[in-house]
């Protein structure tokens, strides 16, 4: 072997070894392995799973290999360790700009481009996720969308008949066969009519009682007659009984042909060219659908070297949320599956399943079901019958699609990941996302559809935890109307709300392909019709500043992926419809009263199917001790309960586990099951008789009942406030982590919090990677009491660990137990505690060794001052003079002298400027005492900021609390300050409208400028320093 060959081989070997560190070993095993993180070694610079991933939008195969490589290199350099590759194909909406027959998903060119990305990821040490199909991953290109395994629906035809009327005619044909599109495409497929296959015919008597909604036809359930035996050659002959008016319904099964991506121009599809085929959504309720889905991927995307590279680099085979429809979701063989699941045939109940939306009328005010059923007593039983349909469909979805994807992925050393809910509520799949989350390797949520409603994330997070999944990810950062306008405080807000709901992996939305595209101008390819954020990458002025945010996410997620989750309370949630929060403003509420969270209790939802899992046992007073380890369970204002859940609750109560009913006790099953109703009536009172079971009228009473039951949160706010906690426990190392978060977006909060933990308390700074011992705490009744003071939307990390767990961190022999100083830290070099106070007055501290000290400094603090006389240099980002052929911005520089700080849009000449601003000023520091220092408060920051004092960078800035301790950089006399801020591109794009597209024209006409720059006074706040030798 030549020296060059040996060198290249060694480089390859090093790359393989490095890559192996990013992808956990045995990743594709089932059950999925739990990766252990070495927090002391990794916290300063995490790698692999803890770091965020970028969703990478590649429009099609008409892209350049060198650009693909350059894009991935930018992603890696920014601190993201993974990419999620999506062949966007105009999101399946707009017409293709290049012929899909050449450049479409599944073709040889796409396979080659995917190979380029995989090879680049290998070189750059990136992991790769990929969508299982074009656009959202729910579809495959296929020549015949009428094939088994494609999205299927049930439809019906109707004939109204009078008493004693004879009927001898062909079966009524389907009346409604077009559920419409969540996002209607601008193109048409070669096939638009699909085979109607007869399923059943029924005759049903109209009820003498009328529905409260005049649009709904009320029917007598006991009158249903199945007429299949009388059908011959699609013709039916019979006579109605004489006891009333009847409805004849004929049910038909058909494929929906739900389009997801365009095929060849002029519909010139070819049988040997999958790129030319139109893409349609697959059946999500059958093994046939899963096999079609995964087989296409294997045959046309993963074949050749791609499969080997994915086994080495790949993490997740992924699918987006359901944005597809059907009149009524169905699948081949569903009648048999339903009978096996529910114990009776669904045919008699099919009529009541159809409606305008598939949602309860309470969800969408104008929605309604066409038919309802009453029993012989006149009671409406439709809701029970609908729940049976939904539950059978749910089980098929979980068995075939979710478990099917996970099992297939494991064969390739991958895991399955998807979003198990519908974001297009009209006629959407009715899934219980909480239950579904327990059946996929890595369930995923999103910030857009969940609209930053914390309870919505909790509603799904409990399922992920009960399913014992280590990763609960989120598609994060998509904000409607925020293209080129989303800021890092918005992203961090998204992150924290997601984390508080149980999420521990962020997939950032997103990074568009940066190369040239047909008919696209500067700043480059812009997805989603210029509506949704964000188009990250070097096109953004902030791109060179994002590394510290990637580091913050990585460090935070390292903690949130370590150990097992611990949650105080599980809350019963049985809901098949994921309420469309984003479009209808109907936020998820699983516990409405703030007292529970303000006391420090953490909680998530639990679907009634989850207590039946093998891990849902009570041991050592905890439910599901391997995670989430609930200390109590709440059933909140539920009028029904499943018999399976009640059976489990009886077992839990028998072991002394606390259960609290709020707002009444359920007395019936949600299903059409007489035996289940009887079981609940017979046993609910038995459950209430247990001493560990409570029953209260309102949510406001719950906290006091929990306290009487001695159920105390793991982190208790002794002064109730909206500071929330995420708790992780690493039993192998004897460590407990608490991520604390001020969930109030409008106010700062502070409280003394009592933590149930053992060991030594440490503080972990996710902004700079520092790990320091806590210096101010007490121990009371076996709990550590620490002061938690957080600005609005800020967070911090506290760890309780063995004293030597962090080997490079020295723990002081004593600590502060009482002080009126504002801040403190341990200085290992001098073996001293340093306390800081920015107010003139008596200061003191009491130590755990019994000493009490008072400051005897005679130094007078310099006054608080506002920096003035600013010089501002703006690097203004402008369109390239050749905007169709060069997306690189050109710069123009502006220089200003400012007596006060105001937004750029209020400065003449900067009204539509975007870019980077450099502010410089100076101040006089008159103290040469070692017992003084100063904070510099930068005021509200819109996007990013970096600070230099006397030409020294002060490190990453906590952007929601941009107050920097500048004592290490101060000099006596004149001190210089430089602050760099970056902006979004919005303001420039509001003016750039000499344009190519209606999307950008609409953009420019719609929005107002953002307030760029430093917009509040920059304040110098001196402090005094008390040094306590130990």
């Amino acid at each position: 072997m030549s020296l060059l060959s040996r060198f290249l081989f060694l480089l390859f070997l090093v790359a393989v070894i490095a890559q192996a560190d990013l992808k956990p070993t045995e990743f594709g095993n089932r059950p999925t392995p739990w990766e252990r993180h070495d927090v002391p070694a990794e916290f300063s610079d995490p790698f692999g799973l803890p770091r965020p991933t970028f969703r990478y939008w590649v429009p099609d195969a008409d892209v350049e290999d060198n650009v693909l490589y350059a894009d991935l290199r930018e992603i890696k350099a920014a601190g993201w360790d993974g990419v999620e590759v999506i062949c966007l194909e105009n999101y399946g909406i707009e017409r293709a700009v290049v012929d899909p027959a050449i450049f479409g998903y599944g073709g040889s060119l796409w396979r080659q481009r995917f190979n380029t990305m995989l090879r680049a990821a290998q070189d750059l040490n990136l992991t790769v996720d990929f969508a299982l199909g074009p656009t959202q991953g729910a579809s495959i290109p296929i020549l015949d969308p009428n094939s088994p395994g494609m999205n299927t629906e049930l439809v019906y035809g109707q004939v109204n008949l009078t008493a004693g009327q004879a009927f001898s005619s062909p079966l009524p044909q389907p009346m409604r066969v077009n559920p419409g599109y969540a996002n209607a495409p601008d193109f048409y497929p070669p096939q638009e009519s699909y085979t109607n296959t007869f399923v059943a015919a029924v005759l049903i008597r109209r009820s003498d009682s009328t529905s409260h909604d005049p649009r709904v036809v009320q029917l007598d359930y006991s009158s249903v007659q199945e007429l299949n035996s009388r059908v011959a050659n699609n013709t039916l002959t019979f006579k109605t009984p004489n006891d009333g008016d009847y409805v004849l319904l004929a049910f038909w099964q058909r494929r929906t042909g739900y389009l997801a991506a365009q095929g060849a121009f002029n519909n010139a599809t070819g049988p040997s060219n999958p790129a030319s085929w139109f893409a349609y959504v697959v059946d999500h309720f059958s093994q046939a659908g899963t096999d079609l889905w995964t087989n296409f991927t294997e045959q046309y995307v993963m074949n050749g070297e791609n499969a080997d590279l994915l086994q080495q680099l790949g993490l997740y085979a992924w699918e987006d949320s359901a944005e597809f429809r059907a009149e009524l979701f169905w699948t081949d063989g569903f009648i048999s599956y339903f009978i096996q699941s529910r114990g009776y045939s669904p045919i008699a109940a099919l009529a009541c399943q159809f409606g305008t939306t598939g949602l309860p009328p309470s969800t969408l005010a104008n929605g309604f079901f066409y038919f309802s059923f009453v029993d012989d007593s006149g009671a409406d039983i439709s809701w029970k019958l609908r729940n049976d349909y939904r539950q059978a469909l749910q089980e098929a979805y979980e068995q075939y699609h979710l478990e099917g994807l996970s099992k297939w992925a494991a064969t390739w050393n991958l895991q399955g990941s998807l979003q198990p809910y519908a974001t297009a509520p009209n006629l959407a799949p009715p899934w219980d996302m909480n239950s579904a989350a327990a059946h996929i390797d890595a369930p995923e949520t999103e910030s857009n559809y969940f609209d930053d409603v914390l309870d919505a994330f909790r509603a799904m997070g409990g399922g992920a935890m009960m399913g014992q999944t280590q990763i609960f990810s989120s598609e994060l950062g998509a904000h409607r109307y925020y293209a080129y306008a989303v800021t890092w405080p918005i992203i961090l807000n998204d992150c924290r709300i997601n984390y508080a709901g149980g999420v521990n992996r962020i997939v950032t939305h997103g990074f568009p392909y940066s190369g040239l595209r047909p008919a696209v101008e500067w700043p480059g390819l812009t997805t989603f019709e210029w509506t949704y954020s964000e188009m990250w990458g070097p096109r953004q002025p902030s791109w060179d500043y994002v590394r510290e945010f990637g580091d913050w996410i990585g460090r935070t997620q390292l903690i949130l992926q370590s150990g097992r989750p611990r949650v105080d309370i599980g809350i019963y949630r049985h809901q098949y419809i994921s309420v469309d929060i984003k479009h209808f403003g109907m936020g998820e509420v699983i516990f409405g009263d703030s007292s529970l969270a303000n006391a420090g209790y953490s909680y998530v939802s639990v679907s009634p199917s989850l207590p039946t899992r093998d891990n849902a046992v009570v041991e050592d007073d905890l439910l599901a001790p391997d995670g989430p380890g609930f200390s109590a369970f709440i059933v909140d204002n539920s009028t029904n309960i499943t018999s399976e859940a009640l059976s489990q609750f009886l077992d839990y109560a028998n072991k002394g586990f606390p259960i609290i009913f709020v707002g009444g006790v359920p007395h019936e099953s949600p299903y059409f099951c007489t035996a289940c109703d009887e079981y609940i009536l017979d046993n609910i009172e038995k459950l209430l008789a247990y001493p560990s079971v409570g029953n209260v009228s309102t949510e406001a009473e719950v906290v006091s009942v929990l306290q009487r039951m001695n159920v105390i949160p793991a982190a208790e706010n002794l002064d109730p406030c909206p500071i929330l906690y995420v708790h992780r426990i690493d039993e192998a190392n004897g460590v407990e982590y608490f991520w604390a978060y001020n969930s109030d977006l409008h106010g700062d909060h502070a409280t003394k919090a009592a933590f149930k933990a053992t060991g030594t308390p440490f503080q972990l700074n996710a902004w700079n990677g520092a790990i320091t011992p806590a210096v101010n705490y007490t121990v009371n009744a076996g709990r550590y009491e620490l002061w938690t003071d957080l600005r609005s939307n800020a967070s911090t990390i506290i760890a309780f660990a063995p004293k030597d767990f962090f080997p490079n961190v020295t723990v002081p022999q004593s600590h502060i137990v009482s002080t009126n100083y504002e801040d403190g830290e341990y200085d290992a070099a001098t073996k001293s505690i340093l306390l800081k106070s920015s107010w003139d007055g008596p200061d003191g501290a009491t130590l755990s060794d019994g000493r009490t000290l008072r400051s005897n400094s005679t130094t007078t603090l310099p006054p608080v001052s506002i920096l003035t006389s600013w010089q501002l240099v703006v690097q203004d980002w402008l369109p390239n003079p050749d905007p169709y052929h060069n997306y690189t911005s050109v710069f123009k520089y502006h220089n200003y002298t400012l007596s006060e700080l105001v937004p750029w849009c209020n400065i003449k000449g900067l009204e539509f400027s975007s870019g980077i601003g450099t502010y410089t000023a100076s101040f006089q520091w008159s103290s040469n005492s070692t017992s003084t220092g100063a904070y510099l408060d930068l005021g509200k920051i819109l996007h990013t900021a970096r600070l230099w004092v006397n030409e020294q960078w002060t490190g990453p800035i906590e952007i929601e609390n941009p107050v920097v301790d500048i004592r290490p950089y101060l000099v006596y006399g004149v001190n210089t300050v430089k602050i760099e801020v970056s902006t979004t591109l919005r303001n420039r794009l509001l003016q750039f409208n000499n344009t190519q597209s209606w999307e950008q024209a609409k953009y420019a006409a719609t929005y107002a400028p953002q307030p760029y720059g430093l917009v509040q006074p920059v304040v110098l706040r001196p402090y005094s320093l008390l040094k306590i030798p130990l």
Side-chain angles (χ1 to χ4, degrees), residues 647-809:
S647 176
Q648 290 298 112
F649 288 170
L650 286 165
D651 178 64
Y652 299 158
N654 188 50
K655 295 176 181 177
F657 186 77
I659 301 170
I660 300 174
F661 289 91
V662 182
V665 177
H667 284 94
E668 63 180 326
S669 167
Y671 304 122
F672 185 64
C673 174
T674 302
C676 300
D677 288 339
E678 292 172 351
Y679 176 85
I680 292 165
L681 285 172
D682 290 343
N683 288 279
I684 193 71
E685 297 301 327
K686 295 178 184 177
L687 179 62
L688 292 172
Y690 282 98
S692 65
V693 177
N695 183 9
V696 298
S697 299
T698 66
E699 291 178 337
E701 302 170 74
V702 168
V703 169
S704 61
V705 173
L706 287 169
Q707 291 172 341
R708 286 200 301 270
M709 292 178 170
N710 200 32
V711 178
I712 308 300
E716 181 182 12
N717 288 331
L718 299 181
D719 299 307
C721 69
I723 294 180
L724 312 178
Y725 302 90
V726 175
H727 183 197
R728 308 284 297 194
I729 181 167
D730 178 1
E731 292 180 316
N733 291 304
V735 182
E736 297 191 52
Y737 299 101
F738 290 87
W739 179 79
Y741 160 54
N742 177 8
S743 62
D744 187 344
L745 302 184
H746 306 288
D748 305 339
H749 290 278
T751 182
K752 182 178 283 187
F755 296 88
K756 183 182 180 182
T758 58
T760 298
F762 296 86
Q763 294 175 319
L764 282 67
N765 189 322
W767 285 105
N768 60 22
I771 301 174
T772 56
V775 297
N776 185 6
Y777 63 91
T778 58
V779 180
N780 185 16
R783 285 182 168 242
Y784 286 88
E785 295 183 357
L786 282 77
W787 191 254
T788 305
D789 189 348
L790 292 172
R791 296 285 293 270
S792 170
N793 197 38
S795 60
T796 190
I797 301 168
I798 304 162
F800 296 88
K803 190 175 182 180
D804 59 353
F805 180 68
F806 299 104
N808 298 320
V809 179

Side-chain angles (χ1 to χ4, degrees), residues 451 579-588:
D451 209 23
V579 174
D580 194 316
I581 300 162
K582 186 70 182 178
H583 301 117
F584 295 97
M586 304 180 71
E588 176 80 30

Side-chain angles (χ1 to χ4, degrees), residues 151-155 177 179 252-254 256 326-330:
N151 191 43
T152 303
E153 66 184 355
L154 195 71
V155 291
V177 293
W252 306 84
Q253 173 184 309
R254 66 193 299 275
T256 65
E327 285 294 336
L328 186 71
F329 281 94
W330 199 255

Side-chain angles (χ1 to χ4, degrees), residues 418-738:
L418 52 68
Q419 299 173 1
Y421 51 85
T423 54
N426 290 349
L427 303 172
W431 291 330
D432 177 350
M433 65 181 181
N434 186 274
S435 175
H439 291 267
I440 187 71
D441 295 325
E444 184 169 284
T445 179
E446 63 178 283
S447 60
N448 176 43
Y449 172 67
F450 284 61
D451 209 23
D452 284 342
V453 176
L454 177 51
D455 267 5
F457 298 102
R458 289 171 171 144
M460 189 172 164
M465 295 175 192
M466 291 296 291
Q468 297 185 293
T469 64
Q470 184 176 15
I471 298 300
F472 175 29
S473 66
S474 179
E475 170 197 343
L476 186 136
H479 286 265
R480 203 174 189 182
Y481 311 126
Y482 267 80
Y484 295 107
V486 82
T487 63
W488 272 104
I490 292 175
I491 297 297
L492 294 177
N493 175 59
D494 288 348
C495 287
R496 291 185 171 108
I497 292 173
N498 276 258
Y499 295 153
V503 167
N504 58 9
R505 182 182 187 245
I506 294 306
V507 180
T508 309
H509 187 280
F511 192 114
Y513 172 75
S514 66
L516 297 178
R517 292 290 295 169
V520 171
E521 279 187 276
W522 176 91
L525 174 67
T526 300
T527 60
F528 309 110
E529 299 178 339
W530 286 71
T531 300
Y532 284 94
S533 60
E534 184 56 287
M535 307 301 120
W536 294 109
R539 70 180 69 189
Q540 295 273 7
S542 64
W543 183 246
D544 285 343
Y545 300 83
V546 303
R547 175 76 199 206
E548 48 243 55
F549 299 100
D551 289 343
W552 181 89
I553 293 171
R555 295 182 186 118
T556 302
Q557 292 182 170
L558 176 70
I559 300 306
L560 298 180
Q561 292 176 19
S562 293
R564 302 274 178 172
R566 277 283 185 268
V567 180
D568 297 315
I569 309 293
I571 297 182
Y572 187 89
R573 177 192 188 270
H574 193 196
Q575 185 171 318
Y576 293 106
I577 307 300
S578 302
V579 174
D580 194 316
I581 300 162
K582 186 70 182 178
H583 301 117
F584 295 97
M586 304 180 71
E588 176 80 30
V589 178
I590 61 175
F591 195 90
D593 195 277
S594 61
S595 59
L596 190 67
N598 285 354
Y601 290 97
S602 57
Y603 58 89
V604 292
S605 288
V606 179
S607 173
S609 68
L610 301 182
T612 63
R613 296 178 66 88
D614 292 342
N615 62 306
V617 297
V618 172
E619 293 179 1
D620 299 325
D621 299 324
L622 296 177
L623 171 57
D626 290 336
F630 298 125
S631 296
F633 209 94
I634 294 173
V635 182
D636 189 4
N637 286 285
S638 179
T639 59
N640 59 78
I641 189 171
T642 68
S643 54
E644 295 84 358
L646 178 56
S647 176
Q648 290 298 112
F649 288 170
L650 286 165
D651 178 64
Y652 299 158
N654 188 50
K655 295 176 181 177
F657 186 77
I659 301 170
I660 300 174
F661 289 91
V662 182
V665 177
H667 284 94
E668 63 180 326
S669 167
Y671 304 122
F672 185 64
C673 174
T674 302
C676 300
D677 288 339
E678 292 172 351
Y679 176 85
I680 292 165
L681 285 172
D682 290 343
N683 288 279
I684 193 71
E685 297 301 327
K686 295 178 184 177
L687 179 62
L688 292 172
Y690 282 98
S692 65
V693 177
N695 183 9
V696 298
S697 299
T698 66
E699 291 178 337
E701 302 170 74
V702 168
V703 169
S704 61
V705 173
L706 287 169
Q707 291 172 341
R708 286 200 301 270
M709 292 178 170
N710 200 32
V711 178
I712 308 300
E716 181 182 12
N717 288 331
L718 299 181
D719 299 307
C721 69
I723 294 180
L724 312 178
Y725 302 90
V726 175
H727 183 197
R728 308 284 297 194
I729 181 167
D730 178 1
E731 292 180 316
N733 291 304
V735 182
E736 297 191 52
Y737 299 101
F738 290 87

Side-chain angles (χ1 to χ4, degrees), residues 21 105 113 207 256 264 337 397 439 491 520 557 587 727 737 868 936 943 1001:
D21 289 338
Y105 178 86
R113 297 295 183 252
S207 176
T256 65
Y337 193 94
Y397 174 60
H439 291 267
I491 297 297
V520 171
Q557 292 182 170
H727 183 197
Y737 299 101
T868 57
L936 195 66
H943 199 12

Side-chain angles (χ1 to χ4, degrees), residues 213 215-216 354-361 364-371:
D213 186 337
R215 299 173 298 178
V216 179
F354 292 88
T356 58
T357 67
L359 298 177
L364 296 178
N366 293 324
F368 67 99
F369 292 100
Y370 305 129
F371 301 99

Side-chain angles (χ1 to χ4, degrees), residues 775 814-816 825-826 832-835 1026-1028 1030:
V775 297
S814 301
H815 60 271
I816 304 297
E825 62 188 49
Y826 179 62
S832 302
I833 291 177
L834 307 179
L835 298 178
L1026 175 62
K1027 183 175 181 180
I1028 304 175
L1030 298 179

